[in-house]
Amino acid sequence: MTELNYTPEDADRGNANYASYHALWHLFDIGVVTDLAFASEAWDLADENCEKPDFKPTRVALIDVSVAYEHPNLMGAINTDLMIDFFSARLGTFPRPNVAPAFNLATSFLNGAAPMGINPIADLFLELVAHLPGEYVASAGPWNQPGRVLPTTSATFSAHGTAMAGLIGARPKTAPEVEFAIASRIPLNKEDGSLIPLKQKTLSAGPCLPYAGVDPYCEIVPISTSFDPDPEQLILAMLYAWLIGADVIVLARDFPDPLRSGITGRRDGNALLPEELKAIKGAYPCELSQAELALWDALHDLTLAMSQTIPIVCASGNGSDNSMIYPASMATAPGAPDDNGIIAVGARAATRNRAGYSTTSTQTAPVSVYAPSGDGERLDLAIHRMDTLDPDYRPHDHSVSYRDDLGVQYDGASDVANPVTDSTYATQSITSTDVPGLAGYNASPYPYATNKDGALFDYRSYYCDFSGTSAATAIAAGMLSLGMTSGKIVKGDGPSAKKQLRGGAAPTDDANATPALRWSVL
Amino acid sequence: MAFNRTILVEDWLLAEGDSFDLVKAPEPPEAMPEEPEEMAMAMAMVAAGGGASSVFNRNRNRNRNRNRNRNRNRNRNRNRNRNRFDGGLDLDSFGDLLTPWREIERLHEVKAAWVDLPLPLPPSPTELKIETLELFRKLRELQTEAERGRREEILIEQSLELSGYLRPLGIDGIGGYDETITLFLMVSQICEEVGLRYKSGYAVSRPSVLEPRLRTFLANPAYESYPSNHSFQSFSIAFTFSRVLPEHPAIAALFRSSRRIAENREWAGIHYASDTRAGHDLARMFAPIMELVLQEQMLRARAEWL
């Protein structure tokens, strides 16, 4: 008997031999860091400024899901005193109030007046300001007080917020600040009961956590929200950012306004086309009340008004089309008569091509700036881009008519001269901070991240691959914050901040993913 | 405060495959994992980390997802959650779900945190009568041709029926999401118990009891009206899943579907709008309890998507 000697034709597939890369490649790509000595004009300027007696860290309001604020790289980056949650408690509650007697929440209320006078906004602002100080004291009490609502901020379900926060403002941690626990090895047991010890495992580097966000000087205030299409919750989250005097607002999410989220990127003035509105209304599963539509209108006006003073960094969306999510879809071109401080961020892969999924400009709203992120596969008339290293990539599934266009892929053994420029698909994702242990984007083989003394079992699970226009938005927000920390960008002027961040008013080129985020143009 | 930049120069974090490695810089060859045990651990982590994702901000390997979905079976048990009782009975059936005794035990351990949530008191009978006017309109419109689909939905939704939640998420009738389905069943079961406790405290009568001229589409269930348990369960599924996978692009659609399922009980004439709103508010306030009590099942469900 002879064995069957046949190799199926489709056995040819991607070998998954991805090259490794530096977790902070994006800091080099945007020019914040210029060499392996981590020379950085930006960080040098920030170093100088933060020594000044009147230095106030740039305050970044992160309207997202909750953040695993105990992540070692986020210690010092998160303002846990002001961190608030609007998921479960209508007027907000504080996950970790400061119990020091000297702390008074009201001293953090930097803007005492509502940003605009229209009715629902002003009323909600007064309600919020009246509620928060008492809530702060009460939320410092035990968890089992009657009549209270707890925050919905478990670290376990905070992956997105944690990755966002890390990209914006993580701090590197040195050996004295972290402790690694290394699992010992059980010796081999011989027939006679004697033992053969195994060489104990050692770390190749560390213990330390050499990871940094774009602006490791800023303070991030997490404002956690749910995804309930509830305009009131979003108004209150925005008003809180206003109240605490945020310098930057980050929105890597959409506002699910029923009548402002387009199907396509076509527009009638600043509104959706009548036929799109008709389609959306006809398919809407519930009856929309006048009251809720009025609140959505108020949120729209509030966001535009606030963006005049606080730049609002918004993800443009991952739809691969030109529909752009709302509120990014309100971004204006710099210098436009109705210019605002809404910054729509698109994603640019390590190849410097637009990422395959990144939403492009609508008819009226240009992508403001393209920032680094991971890539996405596409196979359509517009873009041929696939990860040919993926084990599920089988060349024989594809037509020769386009297969050669899928581009050069590189791996550890490749002799491609310059993999970054010679590839069409970028295999680099963005590395960011992750919820440790089982949860998060990158699960650890250890269910618990630390031992009882707080030593880390597995530093790998503190990091994850992150991508999408979310990652690009976090990096752009970090850059904006760093621009303010270093004194290059003036706080309090949204439209100017946008113009500076994109390096002027040159028109957006979606095909070439420009303007790209670059320190040198600030 | 200035941070320590030197550490970035001395040690590098590298992305390696689907995991990470900490190495001395400049990277000496002996710093790479060379012992078989370390290599095995690194490989195990690659497997555990899993780079593929159907979630939009992690869409590195579209191919892998596509094939994974193609290889999934049609859900052989797709009817298992359907009501097995025909007729006008308003029974909740939890299909094949075993009683989640561990979760229920935990629920009772933290009872103090949810037994007195600040739900507003129900409207007075005078205000309820004004709400009843809307129910008259809805019942009349329900009989029109335009609302035929809603009539069918209302009948199906008398018992727990998950397709209204699975369809917006794109997994109705697709295998491989058993933990997500189990999570939704657990959420519903926990809500039933908690909701009945709240209902009993307020003891609000059903709309047609207060106003017998209201000819309802469904028979009145045996328990009180405020808050609506259909609403509480329906929104709890949405709130809980939005913690499990906030990255899913259809979360808002899930909430809207939950809202329609909740409001359909008004169209059937057996709930006031204030009952529906209270169910929503209770689900929102109860969400932190849910993420504590169901944490393990929520993680199992999340793993199906990443």
Side-chain angles (χ1 to χ4, degrees):
Chain A
M1 185 114 100
T2 182
E3 65 186 53
L4 181 61
N5 185 9
Y6 165 73
T7 304
E9 196 178 330
D10 67 357
D12 185 16
R13 53 168 71 189
N15 66 11
N17 190 4
Y18 294 97
S20 63
Y21 53 91
H22 199 294
L24 296 175
W25 67 268
H26 58 277
L27 294 183
F28 294 77
D29 189 78
I30 60 176
V32 163
V33 172
T34 49
D35 64 23
L36 282 174
F38 281 75
S40 168
E41 182 199 27
W43 288 351
D44 289 347
L45 286 171
D47 273 340
E48 275 175 39
N49 284 343
C50 75
E51 295 304 324
K52 294 177 183 164
D54 58 343
F55 174 74
K56 271 177 55 189
T58 306
R59 183 168 280 179
V60 181
L62 176 62
I63 300 180
D64 209 280
V65 302
S66 51
V67 172
Y69 56 86
E70 288 180 321
H71 189 294
N73 286 122
L74 296 180
M75 297 294 238
I78 306 292
N79 185 330
T80 51
D81 301 345
L82 296 183
M83 178 167 67
I84 196 169
D85 178 52
F86 287 99
F87 191 113
S88 31
R90 178 179 163 261
L91 291 168
T93 189
F94 295 91
R96 199 170 174 277
N98 185 345
V99 292
F103 185 82
N104 177 3
L105 178 73
T107 59
S108 302
F109 293 171
L110 302 181
N111 286 317
M116 55 193 305
I118 61 172
N119 253 345
I121 300 292
D123 291 351
L124 283 169
F125 188 79
L126 289 177
E127 206 181 344
L128 186 68
V129 173
H131 166 80
L132 289 181
E135 178 67 28
Y136 199 79
V137 174
S139 45
W143 61 270
N144 54 1
Q145 302 171 74
R148 286 194 47 75
V149 181
L150 297 172
T152 309
T153 50
S154 155
T156 308
F157 302 106
S158 301
H160 191 272
T162 306
M164 292 294 294
L167 286 172
I168 297 167
R171 272 66 160 165
K173 291 294 158 183
T174 57
E177 297 171 285
V178 289
E179 191 184 349
F180 283 9
I182 299 171
S184 59
R185 289 183 178 142
I186 297 170
L188 295 168
N189 205 344
K190 290 198 335 189
E191 184 187 10
D192 63 2
S194 61
L195 301 178
I196 307 176
L198 295 180
K199 188 183 165 198
Q200 291 301 311
K201 188 177 162 185
T202 52
L203 286 166
S204 50
C208 62
L209 297 172
Y211 182 85
V214 182
D215 183 8
Y217 307 82
C218 71
E219 64 166 22
I220 300 167
V221 181
I223 301 176
S224 46
T225 50
S226 77
F227 282 77
D228 189 3
D230 166 16
E232 188 191 71
Q233 178 197 212
L234 296 166
I235 291 172
L236 287 164
M238 293 291 284
L239 286 178
Y240 183 75
W242 175 263
L243 184 65
I244 60 168
D247 300 309
V248 176
I249 292 176
V250 190
L251 273 175
R253 57 163 294 167
D254 70 330
F255 288 170
D257 185 319
L259 305 182
R260 289 190 174 87
S261 307
I263 298 170
T264 72
R266 299 176 303 165
R267 293 292 184 272
D268 179 12
N270 281 325
L272 305 189
L273 293 185
E275 58 262 42
E276 265 188 46
L277 271 177
K278 191 175 166 208
I280 292 168
K281 282 180 180 165
Y284 205 76
C286 310
E287 291 183 319
L288 285 160
S289 72
Q290 288 307 310
E292 64 189 301
L293 288 177
L295 280 175
W296 283 116
D297 289 348
L299 175 64
H300 170 265
D301 298 348
L302 173 70
T303 307
L304 281 180
M306 280 176 61
S307 83
Q308 289 300 326
T309 45
I310 311 176
I312 303 178
V313 192
C314 302
S316 69
N318 304 325
S320 313
D321 62 350
N322 70 344
S323 65
M324 213 190 267
I325 59 175
Y326 171 77
S329 59
M330 291 198 288
T332 44
D338 56 346
D339 196 7
N340 57 41
I342 309 258
I343 299 171
V345 183
R348 185 172 184 256
T351 52
R352 309 202 153 188
N353 296 316
R354 190 180 77 238
Y357 53 81
S358 186
T359 304
T360 55
S361 309
T362 71
Q363 214 167 30
T364 51
V367 170
S368 309
V369 69
Y370 280 94
S373 191
D375 207 349
E377 297 187 310
R378 286 271 296 269
L379 185 60
D380 51 47
L381 285 171
I383 294 182
H384 304 163
R385 192 181 301 171
M386 294 185 73
D387 178 3
T388 54
L389 282 185
D390 189 304
D392 278 332
Y393 172 74
R394 293 171 171 81
H396 292 275
D397 287 353
H398 294 282
S399 162
V400 291
S401 65
Y402 60 77
R403 200 166 60 198
D404 292 343
D405 298 341
L406 296 178
V408 181
Q409 273 308 326
Y410 59 93
D411 56 39
S414 168
D415 57 359
V416 173
N418 186 342
V420 170
T421 52
D422 291 354
S423 299
T424 55
Y425 178 83
T427 56
Q428 294 99 312
S429 274
I430 298 293
T431 301
S432 191
T433 45
D434 191 33
V435 182
L438 276 179
Y441 293 121
N442 182 22
S444 169
Y446 301 104
Y448 299 98
T450 59
N451 68 8
K452 62 179 169 44
D453 302 321
L456 312 185
F457 277 128
D458 179 17
Y459 65 84
R460 294 169 174 88
S461 105
Y462 278 83
Y463 303 99
C464 63
D465 282 351
F466 193 50
S467 185
T469 49
S470 289
T473 299
I475 293 171
M479 182 72 115
L480 189 54
S481 173
L482 183 60
M484 293 176 179
T485 306
S486 63
K488 291 254 185 186
I489 295 177
V490 177
K491 295 176 179 175
D493 185 344
S496 297
K498 171 161 73 178
K499 189 173 174 186
Q500 257 185 296
L501 192 68
R502 65 198 300 289
T508 297
D509 179 352
D510 287 320
N512 291 306
T514 59
L517 191 71
R518 296 161 68 202
W519 167 258
S520 59
V521 302
L522 250 53
Chain B
M1 198 175 78
F3 67 97
N4 188 319
R5 211 188 299 183
T6 319
I7 198 66
L8 299 177
V9 182
E10 290 174 351
D11 289 332
W12 292 352
L13 184 67
L14 293 182
E16 293 266 359
D18 279 351
S19 189
F20 301 93
D21 206 4
L22 188 58
V23 299
K24 278 272 165 238
E27 193 182 341
E30 60 273 14
M32 300 301 287
E34 47 186 10
E35 293 177 65
E37 292 90 344
E38 282 193 62
M39 192 65 92
M41 182 179 159
M43 295 307 291
M45 294 197 53
V46 169
S53 168
S54 46
V55 173
F56 67 69
N57 66 355
R58 306 254 307 141
N59 53 2
R60 174 163 161 173
N61 291 326
R62 193 186 63 162
N63 262 336
R64 210 186 295 180
N65 292 320
R66 188 171 51 208
N67 289 336
R68 185 175 73 162
N69 286 333
R70 192 176 56 202
N71 294 338
R72 284 189 153 142
N73 297 324
R74 298 282 295 173
N75 192 344
R76 283 168 307 216
N77 299 323
R78 62 189 305 227
N79 291 320
R80 70 177 177 182
N81 305 315
R82 301 269 159 83
N83 192 6
R84 287 167 291 184
F85 309 94
D86 281 317
L89 291 175
D90 196 85
L91 291 176
D92 283 322
S93 142
F94 294 103
D96 298 339
L97 182 69
L98 292 173
T99 295
W101 61 271
R102 198 184 296 280
E103 288 76 8
I104 291 171
E105 183 177 72
R106 207 172 295 159
L107 176 74
H108 291 175
E109 281 167 5
V110 296
K111 186 173 153 193
W114 56 263
V115 76
D116 184 20
L117 292 169
L119 198 64
L121 286 171
S124 68
T126 305
E127 290 163 310
L128 289 178
K129 277 300 188 70
I130 292 169
E131 289 190 26
T132 312
L133 284 176
E134 264 295 290
L135 302 186
F136 274 104
R137 174 185 72 82
K138 284 180 169 150
L139 278 163
R140 194 171 58 245
E141 277 184 33
L142 186 65
Q143 294 308 326
T144 61
E145 184 58 21
E147 298 293 350
R148 189 165 58 138
R150 195 188 290 271
R151 293 200 293 273
E152 287 167 13
E153 288 170 29
I154 289 172
L155 292 173
I156 292 170
E157 290 160 5
Q158 282 187 87
S159 64
L160 186 64
E161 208 283 321
L162 294 183
S163 69
Y165 313 105
L166 303 179
R167 195 164 296 174
L169 298 176
I171 57 170
D172 190 22
I174 294 175
Y177 292 93
D178 293 4
E179 301 289 3
T180 303
I181 290 169
T182 301
L183 174 68
F184 290 177
L185 294 172
M186 281 188 183
V187 167
S188 306
Q189 192 161 355
I190 284 174
C191 286
E192 175 151 286
E193 176 181 337
V194 173
L196 284 175
R197 171 185 286 272
Y198 274 88
K199 276 176 185 287
S200 151
Y202 300 113
V204 174
S205 299
R206 296 278 170 173
S208 65
V209 174
L210 273 180
E211 175 48 73
R213 282 170 290 185
L214 190 74
R215 291 169 53 221
T216 63
F217 183 67
L218 293 179
N220 279 332
Y223 30 80
E224 301 84 352
S225 201
Y226 180 96
S228 156
N229 244 8
H230 261 70
S231 174
F232 179 35
Q233 289 175 322
S234 194
F235 281 111
S236 282
I237 286 175
F239 277 115
T240 305
F241 191 76
S242 79
R243 282 301 276 169
V244 170
L245 200 69
E247 300 89 346
H248 197 299
I251 291 286
L254 173 65
F255 269 99
R256 287 178 189 135
S257 188
S258 291
R259 177 173 160 188
R260 182 177 173 97
I261 291 167
E263 289 178 351
N264 276 348
R265 306 290 281 182
E266 297 168 34
W267 288 77
I270 58 176
H271 267 302
Y272 297 107
S274 51
D275 300 339
T276 307
R277 199 159 49 245
H280 167 274
D281 294 351
L282 187 57
R284 180 179 181 181
M285 294 188 283
F286 192 75
I289 312 300
M290 211 62 104
E291 78 171 359
L292 173 78
V293 169
L294 295 182
Q295 171 172 312
E296 287 168 18
Q297 187 59 34
M298 287 167 74
L299 280 174
R300 282 184 216 116
R302 182 172 163 87
E304 290 179 336
W305 296 83
L306 291 185

